[in-house]
Amino acid sequence: MNNQNNSHNNKSKRQPNADSPLANNTKTKSDPKSKSVRPTTAREVALEVLTAVEEEGSYSNLVLNQMLNRIRLERADIGLATELVYGTISRLNTIDYFLGQFVAKGLNKLQPWVRNLLRFSFYQIYYLDRIPAHAAVNEAVNIAKRRGHQGISGMVNGVLRNVIRRREELVIPQDLPPAKRIALQHSFPEWMVARWIKQYDEATAEQICISNNEAPSVSIRVNTHRTSRTAMLELLQNEGYDVEISPLSPDGILVHGGGNMALTSWYQDGLISVQDESSMLVAEAVQAESGMNVLDCCAAPGGKSVHLAEKMNNSGHIVANDIHEHKRQLVDDQAERLQLSIIETTVGDALTLTERYPAESFDRILLDAPCSGLGVIRRKPDLKWNKSMADIKEIVQLQQQLLQNISTLLKPNGIMVYSTCTIERSENEAIVESFLQQNKQFELVPFAPVNTNHAQTGIQILPQDFHSDGFYIAALRKISM
């Protein structure tokens, strides 16, 4: 589970890591001369969000949603604002690498709002073919005039027009060391790329970066307690949606160009949920059956808990635990929407579950562990700039402790699933291997995702494999001795 959702290791407002392009000169943080302007356009919204992310360590998705709920924009403008925010953050260090060649006194010396205005304007000119370059410049200059003064608007105009003139010259040198070249070419922290090269290989590491810069696909999970995938697929097609069955999950449907499926009546009526395909595989691995007693240790926001309840045909009992009191309602709301009654929500540190429940009291256990979240960067691009190697080392210790502690709650012959939304091997295979070495009464259980030729013991999905989130899933059986 992404550590934004389960925060043994999370800060409410995480400050950018010192190596991040977002960690700029704090002396430029406030600008008493800048004018307060209420955002009314897509570009002004993008500017507000990007500046909040840089100055306050805010999460881009949360700030963007708040802004869009507050400001009435046309659908096309909502799309543009979203593209500018996520695209600029995704390409941040590449943008800064090139922009640095045009700003004489250096990007770090600029006021944050000016720096971000140049960033998303460069993103439009360099990365978006559908927006005329002159329109991007004109809009940037107009914003600079409204928020600043003539000197700032003149500088913005000059920098961006120089970018247009020299656009074809702006290429990343190909003779750089592999990690540095990939990091600049695809805009990732160099330390992260170096780790992926070491854990996989250069070509795989580069493909991970490329895939993580692509727009995420929209996938929905059918509530099989209420309807079937075949019936839902037909219903969507009859309404004109471009859909296909998931190549990964038997409960999944891919929706192309359908917009936000959480706004549809099918979602409101509990026939579908919005969930990534990789995440849907977790419930498959748990193999929960009707009547079982199941524990979901780190449950919020509840997607996997309710999926388990659907697989159990709403028969049995599920304890859905989370560390945050305010997230209990998220799980309860999901269960109510989907008309599932077997989920009991509890609040507390997952490490204390052994104090609250007797040993060997659950048939199935899901530990969707707090992790670095490096498998969901395409959905949350801020993650790559906010993480450090120290974060990974810290979370690994917690993962080991959680798995060891919670394993005592599993019945003999029961199955415990360990899953994460990261591609970091130290958080995945290494955790499971270490656990098995210390716990000889457990063994890996093979399971096969849809459309795979053979069952596997421990599955690592990379972002490029199925155009889905990076995910690791391992099922462990407690041997009856």
Side-chain angles (χ1 to χ4, degrees):
M1 179 177 289
N2 185 336
N3 71 333
Q4 290 184 29
N5 292 331
N6 191 300
S7 64
H8 285 275
N9 188 38
N10 190 38
K11 300 174 184 176
S12 59
K13 283 191 176 180
R14 189 181 188 93
Q15 293 304 314
N17 172 344
D19 296 327
S20 162
L22 291 174
N24 282 303
N25 192 335
T26 56
K27 292 180 180 178
T28 65
K29 186 170 180 177
S30 60
D31 174 29
K33 296 181 181 179
S34 67
K35 303 166 189 172
S36 178
V37 177
R38 176 180 168 80
T40 58
T41 69
R43 290 177 176 85
E44 287 171 336
V45 167
L47 180 58
E48 290 291 320
V49 174
L50 290 169
T51 305
V53 168
E54 178 174 351
E55 289 194 293
E56 301 167 24
S58 305
Y59 293 122
S60 60
N61 60 327
L62 300 181
V63 182
L64 180 60
N65 287 339
Q66 290 167 1
M67 292 281 291
L68 293 177
N69 287 335
R70 196 166 72 240
I71 297 164
R72 299 287 183 182
L73 292 179
E74 297 294 328
R75 183 173 178 177
D77 287 331
I78 291 173
L80 176 59
T82 303
E83 172 73 37
L84 294 181
V85 169
Y86 291 146
T88 300
I89 293 174
S90 291
R91 300 289 183 173
L92 200 57
N93 68 346
T94 311
I95 291 171
D96 284 4
Y97 173 78
F98 287 132
L99 270 179
Q101 302 173 31
F102 297 93
V103 180
K105 65 179 182 178
L107 276 176
N108 287 359
K109 299 293 179 63
L110 298 177
Q111 298 154 26
W113 74 266
V114 179
R115 182 163 51 242
N116 286 298
L117 177 61
L118 287 174
R119 281 169 169 165
F120 78 69
S121 300
F122 181 95
Y123 176 75
Q124 294 170 83
I125 294 168
Y126 193 79
Y127 289 104
L128 299 183
D129 294 334
R130 67 181 183 274
I131 296 178
H134 65 85
V137 175
N138 289 341
E139 288 296 326
V141 170
N142 289 336
I143 291 173
K145 286 178 179 177
R146 287 195 295 274
R147 290 197 55 149
H149 51 73
Q150 189 172 358
I152 293 175
S153 63
M155 184 274 295
V156 167
N157 184 56
V159 166
L160 295 178
R161 293 200 179 279
N162 276 336
V163 168
I164 293 173
R165 280 193 290 270
R166 290 180 49 194
R167 188 186 182 287
E168 300 305 317
E169 303 170 26
L170 302 180
V171 294
I172 301 298
Q174 295 301 296
D175 57 353
L176 297 172
K180 189 173 185 64
R181 178 190 64 78
I182 294 171
L184 277 177
Q185 185 78 52
H186 305 294
S187 208
F188 274 76
E190 190 173 337
W191 71 265
M192 197 177 287
V193 176
R195 282 181 76 90
W196 291 340
I197 290 174
K198 184 177 180 180
Q199 292 177 44
Y200 299 99
D201 55 52
E202 182 180 337
T204 303
E206 184 158 19
Q207 195 56 54
I208 289 170
C209 295
I210 291 170
S211 297
N212 271 327
N213 283 332
E214 295 172 351
S217 56
V218 175
S219 53
I220 59 172
R221 187 190 75 242
V222 178
N223 182 358
T224 52
H225 176 58
R226 303 270 309 282
T227 186
S228 68
R229 181 166 71 169
T230 301
M232 194 67 227
L233 195 71
E234 184 177 345
L235 189 57
L236 286 159
Q237 290 170 332
N238 289 342
E239 291 293 325
Y241 283 83
D242 180 8
V243 292
E244 61 177 305
I245 62 171
S246 164
L248 271 181
S249 168
D251 301 328
I253 295 176
L254 295 177
V255 184
H256 305 291
N260 187 350
M261 296 302 291
L263 300 178
T264 64
S265 60
W266 304 307
Y267 180 91
Q268 302 299 330
D269 294 341
L271 295 180
I272 62 170
S273 294
V274 179
Q275 186 180 15
D276 183 78
E277 292 175 274
S278 296
S279 181
M280 294 181 204
L281 286 180
V282 174
E284 298 295 323
V286 173
Q287 301 175 48
E289 299 174 6
S290 296
M292 284 185 169
N293 193 28
V294 178
L295 171 64
D296 185 353
C297 303
C298 306
K304 298 180 185 69
S305 295
V306 293
H307 193 193
L308 288 169
E310 292 166 4
K311 301 296 262 185
M312 295 164 66
N313 201 27
N314 201 35
S315 172
H317 183 233
I318 296 174
V319 174
N321 177 77
D322 198 78
I323 194 170
H324 298 294
E325 173 64 45
H326 70 276
K327 291 187 176 180
R328 179 206 291 260
Q329 193 61 47
L330 297 176
V331 186
D332 288 337
D333 289 346
Q334 290 254 43
E336 182 179 0
R337 180 180 63 82
L338 297 163
Q339 297 182 22
L340 300 166
S341 59
I342 65 170
I343 298 173
E344 173 197 353
T345 54
T346 66
V347 176
D349 191 323
L351 288 171
T352 67
L353 285 165
T354 51
E355 301 168 14
R356 291 183 270 154
Y357 297 95
E360 299 187 345
S361 55
F362 292 97
D363 300 290
R364 299 286 189 268
I365 295 176
L366 168 58
L367 174 56
D368 189 41
C371 70
S372 63
L374 300 185
V376 296
I377 287 173
R378 65 154 61 102
R379 297 183 189 278
K380 299 177 179 179
D382 320 56
L383 278 173
K384 60 183 174 183
W385 308 122
N386 290 343
K387 294 296 175 184
S388 69
M389 284 187 280
D391 292 328
I392 293 174
K393 290 179 182 177
E394 184 179 347
I395 203 73
V396 162
Q397 294 176 352
L398 174 62
Q399 291 161 343
Q400 290 172 329
Q401 192 177 3
L402 282 168
L403 186 58
Q404 183 63 49
N405 191 294
I406 289 162
S407 66
T408 62
L409 296 174
L410 189 66
K411 291 180 180 180
N413 295 315
I415 292 175
M416 175 175 63
V417 167
Y418 175 82
S419 65
T420 71
C421 58
T422 188
I423 59 175
E424 174 64 38
R425 283 184 169 166
S426 65
E427 299 181 63
N428 296 337
E429 296 101 317
I431 296 288
V432 172
E433 288 169 4
S434 175
F435 174 80
L436 289 172
Q437 287 172 4
Q438 298 173 49
N439 298 272
K440 300 302 183 183
Q441 74 275 32
F442 281 85
E443 63 180 2
L444 280 166
V445 179
F447 72 100
V450 178
N451 289 352
T452 55
N453 295 325
H454 61 282
Q456 303 170 63
T457 54
I459 294 176
Q460 177 67 76
I461 299 172
L462 298 178
Q464 62 265 37
D465 291 342
F466 298 97
H467 195 69
S468 61
D469 290 347
F471 236 88
Y472 177 79
I473 307 167
L476 301 147
R477 178 186 288 115
K478 188 173 187 178
I479 305 166
S480 180
M481 300 178 74

